[in-house]
Amino acid sequence: MSASPPDFDGPPRLTDRTALSRNRARAARIGREDWLHALVRDEIEDRLSEINRTFTAPAVVTGNPAFWTAAMPAARVVGDEPVLALQPGQHDLVIHALALHWADDPVGQLIQSARALVPDGLFIAVLPGAGTLAPLRAALAQAEVEVTGGLSPRIAPFGEIRDLGALVTRAGLALPVADQITQAVSYRDFLHLARDLRAMGETNALDRRLRHPTRRTILRRAAQILAETAPDPQDPGRIRLGLDLIFLTGWAPADNQPKPLRPGSARTSLAAALSQRTP
């Protein structure tokens, strides 16, 4: 029996926004787990401290407005809706915090964020990268195939850094940079990992997911596979996973920014430059 999801009318979508809102509301109701947002906040603060500039009109786009309102009281905090509640040219800093992976149109999210910037304003996006939860994804897939003979979407797709970095340029931002950090996390078992994801509001909200509860036999088998394939080296009784966090940075174009020379405009040939190098 195949576990393939049912057919849907209309254009394909990544995210069921109703389900995503429901998952986030449940997380807030049971006590939201914000440790990943706190990690991202600290990382962004470190990066901003290295920039010789004071930002006076920041904005944050996020699916966790309560955390970011408390973290950045001076910022305008808006939800990650398809149409962002940001006015053009009003902010010198826009942060897109841990929500871009749920966007049906990530380029559109970046373009709207870029339009909200003043000239030479800074954009920073943080989102999960391709290696995030890879052992969990593999364990769920193997367990479902073994039990049902089919496969259904369970974890949102996460992009590669080289592909995500290209989005910054496509959004019209200058001086693009993409880099990545990896955070290792350890859990007692599969059940505690699942509880943490639920408390983060990050459980399955894919539009093409199955619309009925997962069989217990699939979950038990996935737990076994995860324990076998992702043991914590420091404590083999636990499981360990990696979270790849990709940071995308770009600046709203401005006349005072450095710009590359036009091809053919150099006044010294490469051969001449090399010949002048000191042995």
Side-chain angles (χ1 to χ4, degrees):
M1 176 180 174
S2 173
S4 298
D7 292 333
F8 293 81
D9 295 328
R13 298 182 301 173
L14 172 68
T15 302
D16 178 346
R17 301 294 304 185
T18 300
L20 181 61
S21 298
R22 183 170 61 244
N23 292 348
R24 290 170 172 175
R26 179 179 59 187
R29 187 171 62 252
I30 66 178
R32 181 135 191 174
E33 181 55 73
D34 291 329
W35 65 266
L36 186 58
H37 284 269
L39 186 154
V40 166
R41 175 204 58 202
D42 294 346
E43 182 69 23
I44 289 176
E45 288 179 352
D46 286 345
R47 291 165 184 249
L48 293 178
S49 69
E50 297 176 357
I51 299 174
N52 187 24
R53 180 179 304 189
T54 300
F55 296 96
T56 60
V60 180
V61 179
T62 182
N64 189 355
F67 174 86
W68 286 95
T69 298
M72 297 183 66
R76 175 172 173 77
V77 179
V78 303
D80 59 323
E81 301 298 330
V83 178
L84 301 180
L86 296 175
Q87 296 298 317
Q90 296 298 306
H91 301 282
D92 54 6
L93 171 66
V94 174
I95 299 169
H96 207 297
L98 292 174
L100 201 58
H101 59 294
W102 289 118
D104 287 334
D105 180 14
V107 176
Q109 291 279 299
L110 267 65
I111 289 173
Q112 293 180 73
S113 299
R115 287 175 178 169
L117 290 169
V118 299
D120 207 30
L122 176 62
F123 171 76
I124 302 175
V126 190
L127 69 161
T132 298
L133 300 178
L136 176 62
R137 187 192 303 273
L140 287 168
Q142 181 180 336
E144 188 171 14
V145 168
E146 289 181 5
V147 173
T148 71
L151 192 61
S152 61
R154 296 188 176 277
I155 297 177
F158 303 132
E160 297 282 353
I161 187 171
R162 59 180 176 273
D163 299 322
L164 294 170
L167 301 184
V168 180
T169 302
R170 290 181 61 187
L173 292 164
L175 308 175
V177 175
D179 65 285
Q180 175 178 303
I181 64 172
T182 298
Q183 175 68 42
V185 290
S186 178
Y187 289 96
R188 185 183 305 173
D189 52 30
F190 174 88
L191 179 60
H192 285 80
L193 168 59
R195 287 176 177 172
D196 199 36
L197 291 173
R198 187 178 299 113
M200 295 169 71
E202 292 292 336
T203 46
N204 193 353
L206 294 170
D207 189 59
R208 301 283 172 157
R209 74 192 187 284
L210 292 179
R211 294 308 205 264
H212 58 72
T214 300
R215 298 184 194 182
R216 290 183 181 273
T217 50
I218 295 176
L219 298 179
R220 285 196 294 266
R221 179 59 182 137
Q224 293 172 351
I225 296 170
L226 194 59
E228 295 167 357
T229 58
D232 188 333
Q234 306 301 321
D235 186 349
R238 298 171 64 88
I239 58 175
R240 181 173 178 176
L241 301 91
L243 303 179
D244 291 344
L245 293 176
I246 294 178
F247 289 75
L248 306 177
T249 304
W251 296 82
D255 292 338
N256 62 339
Q257 290 173 344
K259 296 178 176 60
L261 294 174
R262 296 190 309 276
S265 62
R267 298 184 179 181
T268 303
S269 69
L270 178 60
L274 293 175
S275 67
Q276 295 175 8
R277 293 179 60 183
T278 302

